[in-house]
Amino acid sequence: MGIDTVAIYSDVDKDSLHVQLADESVCVGGAKSAESYLHMENIIQAAVSKGAEAIHPGFGFLSENPQFAELCEQVGIHFIGPNSNSIKLMGNKSKAREIVVKAKVPVVPGSAGHVKDLEEAKSVALEIGFPILIKASAGGGGRGMRIAYDIDEFTSAFQTAKTEAKNAFGDDTMYLEKYIVRPKHIEFQMLADKYGNVIHLGERDCSIQRRNQKVVEEAPSLISEDLRQRMGEAAIQICKAVQYENAGTIEFLVSGEDFYFIEMNTRIQVEHPVTEMITGLDIVKEQIRIATGEKLSVTQEDIILRGHAIECRLNAENPKNGFRPSPGTITLLHSPSGNGIRFDSFIYKDYQIQPFYDSMIGKIIVHGVDRTEAIKKMRATLEELVVEGIDTNQTFLYMLMNDRDYSKGNFDTSFVEKKLDSLLEYEDYD
Ligand code: ADP
Ligand code: ADP
Ligand code: MG
């Protein structure tokens, strides 16, 4: 787009590839995220000092923080995302449920809004019926969530989830949902401009999860055309209800031919490349255009889905040791490349992975003419990838891609947990 870029980094991320790729860079503080990536004033100051016209918030940290979006608005810097009001409305997951109910889209049966205290939670749980999923209104990344199978274990599960939410998000407001057994996680990629035009770029299946965190994502999903139509329309309804603008994702659980809204992510997501692969659109480019006030460059009819794409999240962790994070120095790296193969990462040979942030070190994305070809291509790509010096989940991902039930499309959100033993049945060669 011909736009100059300024990267921000914390002390320990000085050598990260994104810093080297950007035109300019600014250090925004120390390793602790509260002192750097979550420090709003430091980031705004960096932007002002470099004369930046816009800030892209990425997909963690301040990306769903309405105060930060507001701060950008106040200093006259475009926040590349929705306006602070829609972040406020949808960022709180229990409030979002209320809005969605009003928009006449089905939600998972659960509490109306948040629950005040343990006593109220217990009586609502008995009304809904077990199993119950206790969730944090501020939740994200699978944290602040616990299942209770009966009333006896409810109290301790409620307290644990609450404590985890307090520590992770500084907010322990809780709500309840019926625990849906063996659903699929299907989400729609949305785009909306400032003039009320809303479209979707099809859906992704993100059912391959570990501890409610995504591991593998693909597009399109294997749902029926009728369900795709109904869910796509519902997702558009939801965006219209909050006058949404920019990119966002509406997440649903699917059970048979029924679907239920679970949450909206008011930002770009980790797995957006699979949608880019099958639509040919660059979602970040669309985000920038929308933020500057341009109309959507495409209509719903223009969106044609081509082929099939799969993304694997490469983590610095040891699956055989309870997926424990494994920071350290990359002694050798061969990143796969080729037609329809993409490797998004910040690492390179001799790079030292820091222990301070998320353990995800890269995303491997492939595109094939159909699902069978995409799976074969992912297997070949994972064989080609070489990362030495640290433990990664590379072979674990390879085992997933070779699982017959996965290949046949027989999977739901319980897949990884159910198959864990067989997925870990591989030899370590180093
Ligand atoms: P996606 O839905 O795109 O998979 P995730 O929910 O996994 O997104 O989160 C993307 C990134 O943002 C992850 O690195 C995750 O750890 C981080 N993240 C998500 N929610 C929060 C939060 N509330 N506070 C801090 N980091 C978060
Ligand atoms: P987060 O904000 O952490 O991404 P979500 O509400 O999106 O949390 O849920 C994350 C995952 O947890 C879902 O993809 C799904 O696998 C599981 N999950 C969430 N709600 C339910 C539910 N009511 N029943 C069964 N599984 C659920
Ligand atoms: Mg989610």
Side-chain angles (χ1 to χ4, degrees), residues 93 108 133 135 139-143 145 175 177-180 183 185 209 212 251 253 262-263 413:
K93 294 167 73 176
V108 181
L133 190 61
K135 301 175 81 171
R143 282 167 299 170
M145 219 184 273
Y175 68 106
E177 276 180 3
K178 175 99 185 166
Y179 180 70
I180 309 279
H185 172 116
Q209 306 180 348
N212 304 315
E251 297 191 336
L253 293 183
I262 48 171
E263 69 157 340
T413 57

Side-chain angles (χ1 to χ4, degrees), residues 344-363:
D344 284 12
S345 180
F346 59 91
I347 62 169
Y348 50 87
K349 183 179 171 304
D350 295 331
Y351 180 76
Q352 217 180 325
I353 294 163
Q354 300 296 322
F356 303 99
Y357 313 112
D358 206 278
S359 61
M360 186 169 71
I361 55 168
K363 306 189 281 182

Side-chain angles (χ1 to χ4, degrees), residues 93-150:
K93 294 167 73 176
S94 51
K95 274 198 200 132
R97 277 170 57 88
E98 296 175 46
I99 292 168
V100 167
V101 169
K102 276 197 202 122
K104 302 224 174 356
V105 172
V107 299
V108 181
S111 55
H114 69 276
V115 285
K116 262 199 334 281
D117 50 25
L118 178 63
E119 283 321 301
E120 185 184 288
K122 272 186 175 168
S123 76
V124 174
L126 287 168
E127 249 169 65
I128 304 166
F130 287 90
I132 291 280
L133 190 61
I134 303 156
K135 301 175 81 171
S137 298
R143 282 167 299 170
M145 219 184 273
R146 283 290 178 286
I147 305 176
Y149 286 96
D150 54 49

Side-chain angles (χ1 to χ4, degrees), residues 312-327:
C312 286
R313 297 192 186 198
L314 184 68
N315 297 331
E317 65 187 10
N318 185 339
K320 292 202 177 193
N321 188 1
F323 295 85
R324 233 174 77 167
S326 154

Side-chain angles (χ1 to χ4, degrees), residues 208 210 213-216 311-326 343 358-364 382 385 387 390-401 416 423-424 426 428:
I208 304 295
R210 200 187 138 257
Q213 255 179 350
K214 299 161 187 168
V215 180
V216 175
E311 171 180 277
C312 286
R313 297 192 186 198
L314 184 68
N315 297 331
E317 65 187 10
N318 185 339
K320 292 202 177 193
N321 188 1
F323 295 85
R324 233 174 77 167
S326 154
F343 182 60
D358 206 278
S359 61
M360 186 169 71
I361 55 168
K363 306 189 281 182
I364 306 149
L382 286 166
L385 172 74
V387 186
I390 56 158
D391 292 326
T392 74
N393 63 341
Q394 180 178 356
T395 313
F396 180 77
L397 294 169
Y398 186 74
M399 296 296 283
L400 264 171
M401 287 301 126
V416 171
L423 293 173
L424 289 172
Y426 58 84
D428 284 315

